[in-house]
Amino acid sequence: MNTVWKIFQYGYLVVALICLVEGIVRWGEEREKAYMFLGASIFITLVFFFKRHFRKKVETRNNQK
């Protein structure tokens, strides 16, 4: 199960990177959508760090038992 969590965890970074690139591409034409994509990229990156922290905490707890 931990392997699946790790794969999904790095999937968040892939989606954040796609949103970042899309925001940069749209910066010139559609500024409102660019802000939305850049904001989504920041939010998804924060979710990645939260999930990683939580997963490591659970792994530490499971190893102590």
Side-chain angles (χ1 to χ4, degrees), residues 40-56:
S41 175
I42 292 169
F43 177 72
I44 293 169
T45 303
L46 292 175
V47 169
F48 163 76
F49 286 116
F50 174 76
K51 293 275 191 176
R52 184 176 71 168
H53 173 73
F54 182 72
R55 182 183 53 80
K56 286 184 179 183

mmCIF file of all heavy atoms in Angstrom, residues 40-56:
data_model
loop_
_atom_site.group_PDB
_atom_site.id
_atom_site.type_symbol
_atom_site.label_atom_id
_atom_site.label_comp_id
_atom_site.label_asym_id
_atom_site.label_seq_id
_atom_site.Cartn_x
_atom_site.Cartn_y
_atom_site.Cartn_z
ATOM 1 N N ALA A 40 -3.550 27.031 -8.478
ATOM 2 C CA ALA A 40 -3.739 25.584 -8.362
ATOM 3 C C ALA A 40 -2.398 24.883 -8.209
ATOM 4 O O ALA A 40 -2.277 23.920 -7.442
ATOM 5 C CB ALA A 40 -4.488 25.053 -9.580
ATOM 6 N N SER A 41 -1.403 25.362 -8.909
ATOM 7 C CA SER A 41 -0.072 24.765 -8.806
ATOM 8 C C SER A 41 0.488 24.904 -7.394
ATOM 9 O O SER A 41 1.050 23.946 -6.842
ATOM 10 C CB SER A 41 0.865 25.440 -9.814
ATOM 11 O OG SER A 41 2.165 24.957 -9.663
ATOM 12 N N ILE A 42 0.326 26.065 -6.795
ATOM 13 C CA ILE A 42 0.799 26.283 -5.423
ATOM 14 C C ILE A 42 0.022 25.401 -4.446
ATOM 15 O O ILE A 42 0.601 24.752 -3.577
ATOM 16 C CB ILE A 42 0.673 27.769 -5.041
ATOM 17 C CG1 ILE A 42 1.662 28.594 -5.862
ATOM 18 C CG2 ILE A 42 0.886 27.979 -3.547
ATOM 19 C CD1 ILE A 42 1.456 30.085 -5.756
ATOM 20 N N PHE A 43 -1.294 25.340 -4.613
ATOM 21 C CA PHE A 43 -2.126 24.530 -3.731
ATOM 22 C C PHE A 43 -1.771 23.049 -3.827
ATOM 23 O O PHE A 43 -1.648 22.365 -2.806
ATOM 24 C CB PHE A 43 -3.606 24.748 -4.061
ATOM 25 C CG PHE A 43 -4.529 23.885 -3.249
ATOM 26 C CD1 PHE A 43 -4.727 24.156 -1.903
ATOM 27 C CD2 PHE A 43 -5.181 22.810 -3.819
ATOM 28 C CE1 PHE A 43 -5.575 23.365 -1.139
ATOM 29 C CE2 PHE A 43 -6.019 22.015 -3.068
ATOM 30 C CZ PHE A 43 -6.222 22.291 -1.725
ATOM 31 N N ILE A 44 -1.600 22.551 -5.028
ATOM 32 C CA ILE A 44 -1.274 21.141 -5.228
ATOM 33 C C ILE A 44 0.102 20.818 -4.656
ATOM 34 O O ILE A 44 0.312 19.738 -4.090
ATOM 35 C CB ILE A 44 -1.388 20.770 -6.718
ATOM 36 C CG1 ILE A 44 -2.850 20.857 -7.165
ATOM 37 C CG2 ILE A 44 -0.835 19.385 -6.995
ATOM 38 C CD1 ILE A 44 -3.057 20.767 -8.661
ATOM 39 N N THR A 45 1.040 21.742 -4.766
ATOM 40 C CA THR A 45 2.363 21.532 -4.167
ATOM 41 C C THR A 45 2.257 21.452 -2.648
ATOM 42 O O THR A 45 2.908 20.603 -2.018
ATOM 43 C CB THR A 45 3.321 22.666 -4.574
ATOM 44 O OG1 THR A 45 3.381 22.727 -6.002
ATOM 45 C CG2 THR A 45 4.707 22.433 -4.019
ATOM 46 N N LEU A 46 1.438 22.291 -2.042
ATOM 47 C CA LEU A 46 1.223 22.220 -0.599
ATOM 48 C C LEU A 46 0.570 20.902 -0.196
ATOM 49 O O LEU A 46 0.922 20.318 0.841
ATOM 50 C CB LEU A 46 0.377 23.405 -0.130
ATOM 51 C CG LEU A 46 1.045 24.769 -0.211
ATOM 52 C CD1 LEU A 46 0.058 25.873 0.158
ATOM 53 C CD2 LEU A 46 2.262 24.828 0.679
ATOM 54 N N VAL A 47 -0.368 20.422 -1.010
ATOM 55 C CA VAL A 47 -0.991 19.127 -0.747
ATOM 56 C C VAL A 47 0.049 18.011 -0.805
ATOM 57 O O VAL A 47 0.041 17.097 0.018
ATOM 58 C CB VAL A 47 -2.144 18.857 -1.743
ATOM 59 C CG1 VAL A 47 -2.625 17.420 -1.652
ATOM 60 C CG2 VAL A 47 -3.297 19.810 -1.488
ATOM 61 N N PHE A 48 0.984 18.104 -1.752
ATOM 62 C CA PHE A 48 2.057 17.110 -1.854
ATOM 63 C C PHE A 48 2.859 17.048 -0.556
ATOM 64 O O PHE A 48 3.101 15.969 -0.020
ATOM 65 C CB PHE A 48 2.983 17.454 -3.026
ATOM 66 C CG PHE A 48 4.314 16.756 -2.968
ATOM 67 C CD1 PHE A 48 4.424 15.419 -3.303
ATOM 68 C CD2 PHE A 48 5.453 17.426 -2.567
ATOM 69 C CE1 PHE A 48 5.650 14.771 -3.244
ATOM 70 C CE2 PHE A 48 6.676 16.795 -2.503
ATOM 71 C CZ PHE A 48 6.769 15.453 -2.847
ATOM 72 N N PHE A 49 3.278 18.206 -0.042
ATOM 73 C CA PHE A 49 4.076 18.220 1.183
ATOM 74 C C PHE A 49 3.273 17.726 2.386
ATOM 75 O O PHE A 49 3.799 17.028 3.253
ATOM 76 C CB PHE A 49 4.648 19.610 1.448
ATOM 77 C CG PHE A 49 5.780 19.953 0.524
ATOM 78 C CD1 PHE A 49 5.662 20.992 -0.379
ATOM 79 C CD2 PHE A 49 6.957 19.231 0.555
ATOM 80 C CE1 PHE A 49 6.704 21.310 -1.237
ATOM 81 C CE2 PHE A 49 8.009 19.539 -0.301
ATOM 82 C CZ PHE A 49 7.880 20.574 -1.199
ATOM 83 N N PHE A 50 1.977 18.073 2.448
ATOM 84 C CA PHE A 50 1.133 17.589 3.529
ATOM 85 C C PHE A 50 0.998 16.074 3.470
ATOM 86 O O PHE A 50 1.142 15.394 4.490
ATOM 87 C CB PHE A 50 -0.248 18.251 3.464
ATOM 88 C CG PHE A 50 -1.213 17.684 4.459
ATOM 89 C CD1 PHE A 50 -1.117 18.020 5.795
ATOM 90 C CD2 PHE A 50 -2.211 16.810 4.055
ATOM 91 C CE1 PHE A 50 -2.006 17.503 6.719
ATOM 92 C CE2 PHE A 50 -3.099 16.280 4.968
ATOM 93 C CZ PHE A 50 -3.000 16.623 6.312
ATOM 94 N N LYS A 51 0.722 15.528 2.296
ATOM 95 C CA LYS A 51 0.575 14.079 2.148
ATOM 96 C C LYS A 51 1.874 13.356 2.487
ATOM 97 O O LYS A 51 1.855 12.298 3.106
ATOM 98 C CB LYS A 51 0.156 13.729 0.716
ATOM 99 C CG LYS A 51 -1.217 14.184 0.340
ATOM 100 C CD LYS A 51 -2.227 13.169 0.769
ATOM 101 C CE LYS A 51 -3.569 13.493 0.146
ATOM 102 N NZ LYS A 51 -4.551 12.492 0.451
ATOM 103 N N ARG A 52 3.010 13.912 2.062
ATOM 104 C CA ARG A 52 4.301 13.280 2.345
ATOM 105 C C ARG A 52 4.563 13.261 3.847
ATOM 106 O O ARG A 52 4.991 12.243 4.396
ATOM 107 C CB ARG A 52 5.423 14.008 1.619
ATOM 108 C CG ARG A 52 6.771 13.311 1.806
ATOM 109 C CD ARG A 52 7.836 13.967 1.021
ATOM 110 N NE ARG A 52 8.139 15.272 1.626
ATOM 111 C CZ ARG A 52 9.185 16.002 1.304
ATOM 112 N NH1 ARG A 52 10.016 15.594 0.364
ATOM 113 N NH2 ARG A 52 9.398 17.154 1.882
ATOM 114 N N HIS A 53 4.290 14.375 4.510
ATOM 115 C CA HIS A 53 4.483 14.446 5.958
ATOM 116 C C HIS A 53 3.587 13.423 6.663
ATOM 117 O O HIS A 53 4.035 12.701 7.565
ATOM 118 C CB HIS A 53 4.177 15.856 6.454
ATOM 119 C CG HIS A 53 4.180 15.991 7.935
ATOM 120 N ND1 HIS A 53 5.346 15.972 8.673
ATOM 121 C CD2 HIS A 53 3.167 16.125 8.822
ATOM 122 C CE1 HIS A 53 5.046 16.097 9.953
ATOM 123 N NE2 HIS A 53 3.732 16.190 10.063
ATOM 124 N N PHE A 54 2.329 13.341 6.266
ATOM 125 C CA PHE A 54 1.388 12.421 6.887
ATOM 126 C C PHE A 54 1.800 10.973 6.637
ATOM 127 O O PHE A 54 1.740 10.137 7.549
ATOM 128 C CB PHE A 54 -0.021 12.678 6.356
ATOM 129 C CG PHE A 54 -1.072 11.804 6.981
ATOM 130 C CD1 PHE A 54 -1.467 12.019 8.293
ATOM 131 C CD2 PHE A 54 -1.648 10.779 6.267
ATOM 132 C CE1 PHE A 54 -2.439 11.214 8.872
ATOM 133 C CE2 PHE A 54 -2.609 9.972 6.840
ATOM 134 C CZ PHE A 54 -3.007 10.194 8.148
ATOM 135 N N ARG A 55 2.247 10.643 5.411
ATOM 136 C CA ARG A 55 2.657 9.281 5.085
ATOM 137 C C ARG A 55 3.869 8.864 5.912
ATOM 138 O O ARG A 55 3.924 7.753 6.441
ATOM 139 C CB ARG A 55 2.975 9.137 3.598
ATOM 140 C CG ARG A 55 3.361 7.723 3.194
ATOM 141 C CD ARG A 55 3.738 7.634 1.733
ATOM 142 N NE ARG A 55 4.761 8.586 1.336
ATOM 143 C CZ ARG A 55 6.068 8.415 1.549
ATOM 144 N NH1 ARG A 55 6.516 7.343 2.141
ATOM 145 N NH2 ARG A 55 6.924 9.324 1.136
ATOM 146 N N LYS A 56 4.846 9.763 6.062
ATOM 147 C CA LYS A 56 6.027 9.447 6.859
ATOM 148 C C LYS A 56 5.660 9.251 8.323
ATOM 149 O O LYS A 56 6.231 8.398 9.010
ATOM 150 C CB LYS A 56 7.078 10.542 6.713
ATOM 151 C CG LYS A 56 7.775 10.507 5.377
ATOM 152 C CD LYS A 56 8.867 11.541 5.311
ATOM 153 C CE LYS A 56 9.582 11.465 3.967
ATOM 154 N NZ LYS A 56 10.689 12.413 3.902
#
